[in-house]
Amino acid sequence: MIEKMDTLLQRICVDGRLAKLAVSETGFIFDPQTGQSFTLNQTGLLALDLLKRGNSLEMTAQYMSDEYEVTMDVASSSLEAFLYQLGRYL
Amino acid sequence: MNNNHKVSVWEPPFIQPHRVGAINKFGNRGAKENVMREIFGVSIDDLVDQFGSPVFVTSEHQLRMNVRKIRRVFERRYNQVIHGWSYKTNYTGAICRILHQEGSWAEVVSAFEYEKARSLGVPGNRIIFNGPHKSKAILERAIAEGAYLQADHMDELKMIEQIASEQDRIVKIGIRINFDTGFTEPWSRFGFNLESGQANEAVKRISMSPHVRLTGLHSHIGTFIMEPRAYGEQVKTMCRFMRDLDDIDHINIDTLDIGGGFPSKNALQRVYLPPDQAVPDINEYADAVCDALVEETRYLEQSGRALPRLIIESGRAIVDDAQVLITSVVGTKRLPDGRRAAILDAGTNLLFTSYWYNHQVQMTREPGGVYEDTVLYGPLCMNIDVVRQSIQMPPLVYGDRLVVSPVGAYNNTQWLQFIEYRPNVVLVHEDTNVSVIRRAENLAVMNAQDEMPAHLSYRTMADEGSLPSGKTTREHLIRR
Amino acid sequence: MGMEPRIVQDWRRWNVAVTGVNAHVESPGPGCAVARCLRECADFKGTVIGLGYDVLDAGLYARDYCHGGYLVPYPSAGKEVLLERILQIHEIERLDAIIPCLDAEIQNFIAIKGELARLGIRMLLPNRMQFLLRAKDHLGAFCQSVDVLAPESRTITNPAFFETCEAEGWEYPFVVKGIFYDAGIAHTAAEARLIFNRLVNTWGYPVLVQKLIRGDEFNLSAIGDGKGGLHGAVMMRKRGLTEKGKAWAGVTVVDKDILEMASKLVKGLSWCGPLEVEVMKGHDGKIYLIEINPRFPAWIYLSHAAGRNLPVALIRTLAGETDLQLPEARSGTFFIRYAQEIIVELPQFESMMIDGGIPSVETLLNAS
């Protein structure tokens, strides 16, 4: 049932789905393909920005762990959950 | 207003889809200056450090102020007012004691409550005994001790009569009556119905008895009544019945007990406006009651006769805002539908009233981050253990202490001993010293009522050596 | 907030906030119509700010009516939060007056009236007592006291009533009403329960039942001066009804009986502020009071068209004018309500979503 992490990443990041999102620095997101809008929290905004720039999951997690002073474990597991969430909406 | 600046609080990354209908970031937000660091003049952290979490915190000062106020607003309008403290609302001993010091009688509805009132030193003649279940044994004691009984049904009347004749005395009693005020759904299951003639039947029955004398009328129209005019109608109906009894049956009623049911400033679920606006001031109730009472008893005054005394049995309006519950966050999560959720160490086991109120929940530290719709769950492994279905809260973290209020009415009595131990209840004295008024439960308390039949009395399955036969547990049991 | 009160005497330059700017096709709030009355008054040069409860409230973006728009907390959130939010908006917009347009919010505004007045923000509102006397659950008793006919009604909290009501003289069909808004005609107990549940889910307890009067519906809007006087009455007969019984067409009329009844009510209440009186002219020729709403109605634009712009009269009253000298309302002026779309660009939607508002200065800059 649950999509594998790398295929998920492939689908939403590499295939350009993520790139098409209109992301505002306020955390407001608009998906031009579905007409759906979203709000991101601060960490979500940072994560999305890093992923959009083509960073790997690990690099993104590392950056977040440094920025927010949380362990790498915490950062990468919550990042995975975030990615699954994106996968549901995109 | 932008969320632009960095929030240093770590929160897992999250994306919230916008759903059509009621999107409004200001919609349900609580007021900002809502952080509570102390309660009733005592530091919340100190309270938790000393008495643990969760903990019920009661204010002696507030309790005294409340009961004085309610008595004052009624006494200003009518001469003879008795306040009967409704034990079932909160029968913690210290709370009852404070109210008795303030002059309140005890209003009890069971053998246990009667015995409790007596054990607190309340004399029988300052106890109002209501309720549909009064056993013969407790009625015998109450009658012997001169308690004021208000009868609920015909079988009880018969029993009172029988006891009175056995004790060879004349017992003055009241009867509970019920009727439609036009403003509230009638509580027809208690007492004798007026419209159908049951009440008259009860009167007839009493007047035939040489041992029982009817001197009082009691009615209680409901609970959390937000319509003061309902009480006006209630008093009118009771007074007119009293007058009929006087005119037709020559029965002199000297006591009118209008029960309780006055609301507190709690937010009843499914009432749209907040309690500040939805709940009328106690003065409006006193006006409705006393205006009707004065008007309808003018005939007595004009003929120079004594006016009946008025009993009010208010519980909630006196104790609700005199107590809060401090609880701690033991976990947080995101629900699949995107809402935030927090698990607290107190749930419906302690806050039975969360089933019908949206209690106020306040932070005890400066909130950081964005307010969002949050569900507050209790600690029970039970789906319906929800303290608040929906409340705007900032991100909560493990260990956050929250203040739930008001909780003084019906929680220390309706709480469940289910899954968890019940916690300390403390009292903040008028000098802000704090003492425990009900100790937290522990294993010894829980086990104290257990009895173990002899054949189950070995301690564990592992204690095989102690089995009488020396065989294994399983064989032992099968053999038996 | 250490803001100096800004006292502008000339109402023509006021910044006026108007609530209830939702414009749902079935049942629009009065806010947009009130805003339109202000904007279409040739003398009025101030700004109008829409206060809404949902990002899809059209008035927040409808620049012909409102220069700017802000989201405010739901009435159920209470007065403290409302005050907090109004102060935030006041800091940006420097408000001179607010015209609340929704029943459910009036009590909150009454509660913060004093604080707002100290900041120079004016409102023409009844006091709490006047407001409660006309509430649906008190109306019957009040009507009796001023000798006005009203259909019998009662409050209920238990839907079991619908099964036993016929024995108590409540024969179907009758009207089931929410404490603030919404109503339906129930022909059977099952229908009544459906309406009851819908009302409770939105507006909570209690719910009212009211006996059905058959006849023609007339509405009157006016301003009460708080001393018993009624000013600027405009009367309307509904000519077309939506499925929900809302007017989608109507025409101004002049009926002295209805005016007389409204005057009696305003006098009895010493009503202060705008109001709408809904009456039914029964087939028996008598006039029954159905409701008194504590605000302007959604059809208030008709007052402007008929020559008596009531929202403007209201802010002139707030500015201290006592002799308004309003012209007579012309009878025979029709309105037909129709729906049309306004266009919202993504950045505007985003501002409303994220910041909860769009300042009027953006509109003013774009215009210049």
Side-chain angles (χ1 to χ4, degrees):
Chain A
M1 279 301 275
I2 294 175
E3 224 175 331
K4 274 203 178 130
M5 189 53 64
D6 40 357
T7 46
L8 183 59
L9 199 61
Q10 174 79 27
R11 181 165 70 80
I12 59 178
C13 297
V14 184
D15 291 354
R17 192 67 207 283
L18 209 53
K20 290 199 193 93
L21 288 184
V23 183
S24 156
E25 60 177 17
T26 59
F28 181 84
I29 298 190
F30 181 72
D31 183 345
Q33 189 171 324
T34 61
Q36 179 67 49
S37 58
F38 305 87
T39 307
L40 279 174
N41 64 359
Q42 282 301 311
T43 46
L45 190 59
L46 177 65
L48 197 75
D49 185 53
L50 292 166
L51 291 171
K52 266 181 93 168
R53 290 168 198 275
N55 289 293
S56 70
L57 270 184
E58 205 188 337
M59 284 152 68
T60 305
Q62 185 62 58
Y63 189 91
M64 296 182 74
S65 138
D66 295 346
E67 186 74 13
Y68 283 90
E69 295 174 357
V70 290
T71 64
M72 189 59 187
D73 271 359
V74 170
S76 53
S77 65
S78 58
L79 186 62
E80 272 183 34
F82 178 61
L83 208 63
Y84 278 124
Q85 215 204 349
L86 281 178
R88 288 219 316 274
Y89 298 136
L90 299 182
Chain B
M1 227 172 301
N2 261 330
N3 312 336
N4 253 346
H5 14 255
K6 175 141 298 160
V7 181
S8 53
V9 182
W10 164 257
E11 209 200 355
F14 187 75
I15 180 169
Q16 177 84 57
H18 301 148
R19 294 181 183 87
V20 174
I23 305 178
N24 178 352
K25 69 174 289 183
F26 293 96
N28 287 317
R29 211 187 54 189
K32 268 190 184 152
E33 297 103 17
N34 218 357
V35 178
M36 265 204 156
R37 289 198 174 76
E38 47 179 53
I39 182 74
F40 306 134
V42 183
S43 145
I44 284 166
D45 286 339
D46 289 354
L47 284 166
V48 174
D49 292 347
Q50 201 177 343
F51 303 105
S53 171
V55 57
F56 283 94
V57 186
T58 320
S59 164
E60 179 172 354
H61 178 73
Q62 190 65 36
L63 207 52
R64 289 188 190 274
M65 289 299 109
N66 288 350
V67 71
R68 283 174 200 172
K69 178 172 181 190
I70 207 162
R71 180 161 311 112
R72 200 169 55 236
V73 301
F74 278 89
E75 280 173 349
R76 196 159 59 211
R77 293 164 174 85
Y78 192 75
N79 244 332
Q80 302 180 62
V81 182
I82 290 169
H83 173 243
W85 167 241
S86 157
Y87 264 45
K88 62 183 172 296
T89 315
N90 194 323
Y91 38 61
T92 311
I95 289 176
C96 295
R97 184 60 67 67
I98 289 168
L99 293 167
H100 294 317
Q101 277 186 356
E102 292 292 333
S104 299
W105 292 23
E107 188 264 323
V108 304
V109 293
S110 68
F112 153 62
E113 288 189 1
Y114 185 89
E115 287 169 1
K116 174 123 195 180
R118 292 291 292 122
S119 77
L120 287 167
V122 183
N125 65 6
R126 288 172 77 90
I127 298 179
I128 303 153
F129 200 170
N130 294 330
H133 174 217
K134 310 179 186 89
S135 67
K136 181 158 192 219
I138 198 67
L139 275 175
E140 281 169 345
R141 177 172 177 190
I143 287 171
E145 293 176 342
Y148 177 56
L149 308 175
Q150 306 197 96
D152 181 78
H153 50 79
M154 208 54 103
D155 293 297
E156 188 177 296
L157 268 184
K158 284 183 210 160
M159 199 182 287
I160 293 171
E161 205 180 336
Q162 188 194 337
I163 297 167
S165 99
E166 280 166 14
Q167 295 187 5
D168 194 25
R169 57 170 88 216
I170 295 172
V171 180
K172 294 179 180 177
I173 65 161
I175 53 169
R176 177 159 177 176
I177 56 176
N178 70 66
F179 46 84
D180 188 1
T181 64
F183 290 104
T184 49
E185 246 69 62
W187 272 14
S188 48
R189 58 166 288 189
F190 300 110
F192 301 92
N193 182 255
L194 193 60
E195 290 94 346
S196 68
Q198 272 179 9
N200 278 307
E201 207 182 318
V203 172
K204 294 260 152 21
R205 165 125 207 155
I206 296 170
S207 39
M208 285 188 298
S209 162
H211 297 287
V212 184
R213 188 175 302 155
L214 180 65
T215 60
L217 297 177
H218 173 218
S219 108
H220 183 106
I221 54 175
T223 184
F224 215 101
I225 305 282
M226 298 206 282
E227 176 52 87
R229 291 177 301 171
Y231 288 93
E233 277 307 307
Q234 176 199 16
V235 169
K236 243 184 236 170
T237 308
M238 291 177 76
C239 285
R240 288 180 187 170
F241 187 52
M242 169 175 81
R243 193 167 180 174
D244 284 350
L245 294 178
D246 189 15
D247 290 349
I248 302 165
D249 307 291
H250 307 293
I251 292 170
N252 184 29
I253 296 296
D254 62 19
T255 305
L256 290 179
D257 182 339
I258 61 163
F262 304 138
S264 63
K265 297 268 169 177
N266 225 325
L268 208 57
Q269 289 168 13
R270 293 198 186 275
V271 167
Y272 186 78
L273 289 179
D276 258 352
Q277 260 110 83
V279 178
D281 187 76
I282 189 67
N283 279 289
E284 292 181 40
Y285 292 88
D287 276 341
V289 169
C290 298
D291 287 356
L293 195 53
V294 169
E295 176 70 30
E296 297 291 330
T297 56
R298 190 156 290 145
Y299 74 101
L300 288 173
E301 205 168 14
Q302 280 165 354
S303 54
R305 293 166 61 192
L307 298 184
R309 58 184 182 173
L310 172 69
I311 300 182
I312 49 175
E313 298 172 350
S314 186
R316 176 187 290 110
I318 283 167
V319 75
D320 214 9
D321 69 354
Q323 193 178 62
V324 304
L325 176 75
I326 304 172
T327 172
S328 305
V329 174
V330 298
T332 60
K333 51 173 77 171
R334 276 281 177 187
L335 299 177
D337 65 8
R339 282 177 305 161
R340 278 188 188 138
I343 304 152
L344 312 178
D345 61 8
T348 52
N349 53 326
L350 304 183
L351 288 171
F352 200 72
T353 52
S354 339
Y355 287 125
W356 58 88
Y357 295 135
N358 290 326
H359 288 294
Q360 179 170 215
V361 180
Q362 286 163 285
M363 299 285 292
T364 58
R365 63 160 168 91
E366 210 56 56
V370 182
Y371 280 72
E372 272 182 44
D373 192 17
T374 308
V375 194
L376 300 178
Y377 292 116
L380 307 180
C381 302
M382 191 176 71
N383 199 34
I384 58 170
D385 184 21
V386 182
V387 175
R388 285 293 303 266
Q389 282 289 358
S390 167
I391 180 170
Q392 292 277 315
M393 296 291 281
L396 296 172
V397 297
Y398 176 87
D400 266 343
R401 287 160 184 174
L402 303 176
V403 178
V404 185
S405 64
V407 303
Y410 294 105
N411 284 309
N412 289 174
T413 51
Q414 284 188 292
W415 53 5
L416 304 174
Q417 193 290 297
F418 179 51
I419 299 181
E420 301 267 347
Y421 295 126
R422 285 177 286 198
N424 279 317
V425 180
V426 303
L427 180 76
V428 178
H429 308 183
E430 297 213 83
D431 61 6
T432 72
N433 279 327
V434 184
S435 55
V436 174
I437 56 173
R438 192 181 192 279
R439 279 195 310 276
E441 289 167 342
N442 55 26
L443 188 61
V445 175
M446 306 291 258
N447 284 347
Q449 296 302 102
D450 274 12
E451 293 287 347
M452 199 63 74
H455 69 285
L456 299 176
S457 63
Y458 57 85
R459 292 179 61 84
T460 68
M461 298 298 234
D463 284 350
E464 284 169 20
S466 68
L467 288 177
S469 65
K471 307 230 169 191
T472 66
T473 310
R474 192 178 152 76
E475 283 168 347
H476 172 68
L477 290 175
I478 290 168
R479 203 167 56 97
R480 287 192 132 207
Chain C
M1 281 235 178
M3 248 184 298
E4 285 298 305
R6 162 198 133 117
I7 305 294
V8 177
Q9 292 308 340
D10 185 0
W11 59 270
R12 294 170 188 83
R13 294 189 295 114
W14 275 8
N15 302 326
V16 182
V18 176
T19 72
V21 294
N22 58 314
H24 192 274
V25 181
E26 253 297 324
S27 175
C32 285
V34 170
R36 193 173 176 201
C37 283
L38 297 178
R39 292 294 294 276
E40 292 197 10
C41 161
D43 290 337
F44 183 76
K45 307 281 186 245
T47 60
V48 180
I49 309 298
L51 304 181
Y53 291 101
D54 189 303
V55 289
L56 296 184
D57 283 357
L60 295 170
Y61 314 94
R63 292 295 158 255
D64 288 343
Y65 307 150
C66 300
H67 294 88
Y70 296 87
L71 291 172
V72 289
Y74 302 133
S76 54
K79 60 175 186 189
E80 285 89 4
V81 228
L82 176 66
L83 179 62
E84 203 173 275
R85 181 66 181 141
I86 297 287
L87 292 181
Q88 282 177 348
I89 297 167
H90 183 54
E91 225 170 317
I92 307 166
E93 299 288 355
R94 287 305 183 116
L95 301 174
D96 297 287
I98 301 177
I99 309 180
C101 290
L102 297 176
D103 301 26
E105 68 190 11
I106 303 281
Q107 287 195 71
N108 280 327
F109 277 107
I110 293 172
I112 64 172
K113 189 179 173 202
E115 276 110 324
L116 294 185
R118 277 190 283 284
L119 295 166
I121 304 175
R122 309 169 213 219
M123 295 187 288
L124 199 65
L125 290 177
N127 63 31
R128 189 176 144 83
M129 219 30 167
Q130 296 163 345
F131 180 84
L132 290 178
L133 272 176
R134 53 127 296 277
K136 292 179 193 178
D137 50 342
H138 284 67
L139 194 59
F142 171 67
C143 283
Q144 267 187 351
S145 73
V146 291
D147 199 21
V148 162
L149 286 177
E152 192 187 335
S153 70
R154 65 174 287 169
T155 56
I156 56 168
T157 50
N158 185 348
F161 171 82
F162 299 125
E163 271 79 43
T164 56
C165 60
E166 281 167 308
E168 296 172 44
W170 282 84
E171 275 164 30
Y172 292 101
F174 53 76
V175 187
V176 186
K177 291 180 148 189
I179 189 73
F180 291 117
Y181 297 102
D182 204 356
I185 296 177
H187 296 84
T188 61
E191 213 175 7
R193 274 182 182 268
L194 280 180
I195 302 169
F196 179 89
N197 289 338
R198 182 183 83 213
L199 296 172
V200 166
N201 283 332
T202 318
W203 299 110
Y205 293 108
V207 164
L208 289 97
V209 289
Q210 189 176 58
K211 295 224 166 139
L212 187 64
I213 305 284
R214 295 188 189 276
D216 298 315
E217 208 179 327
F218 291 80
N219 293 353
L220 174 149
S221 187
I223 297 169
D225 61 13
K227 299 178 204 103
L230 173 148
H231 301 289
V234 178
M235 285 163 266
M236 181 273 281
R237 156 127 187 242
K238 290 188 185 177
R239 292 297 298 268
L241 296 183
T242 67
E243 277 176 25
K244 278 193 152 184
K246 299 275 173 186
W248 60 262
V251 59
T252 50
V253 295
V254 175
D255 182 315
K256 66 174 183 16
D257 294 338
I258 295 173
L259 180 59
E260 192 190 321
M261 179 198 259
S263 305
K264 234 190 232 178
L265 296 168
V266 165
K267 190 167 176 215
L269 290 167
S270 299
W271 186 259
C272 182
L275 85 166
E276 179 191 28
V277 177
E278 293 183 21
V279 304
M280 194 66 100
K281 260 197 165 172
H283 295 326
D284 56 5
K286 292 177 183 156
I287 305 178
Y288 295 86
L289 176 70
I290 304 297
E291 246 170 64
I292 301 176
N293 296 316
R295 48 156 174 87
F296 286 128
W299 54 268
I300 197 65
Y301 182 63
L302 189 62
S303 75
H304 170 65
R308 275 193 162 175
N309 189 323
L310 287 183
V312 170
L314 177 86
I315 61 168
R316 285 172 59 198
T317 307
L318 284 176
E321 288 188 31
T322 46
D323 186 14
L324 298 175
Q325 300 213 330
L326 297 172
E328 285 302 314
R330 277 191 308 275
S331 63
T333 310
F334 275 80
F335 78 87
I336 302 169
R337 189 170 287 160
Y338 73 110
Q340 70 171 6
E341 300 79 23
I342 54 162
I343 299 305
V344 180
E345 298 293 346
L346 193 57
Q348 288 184 309
F349 186 72
E350 177 185 341
S351 295
M352 204 52 77
M353 208 63 225
I354 300 293
D355 298 336
I358 302 169
S360 63
V361 64
E362 287 181 18
T363 312
L364 296 170
L365 285 177
N366 286 340
S368 60

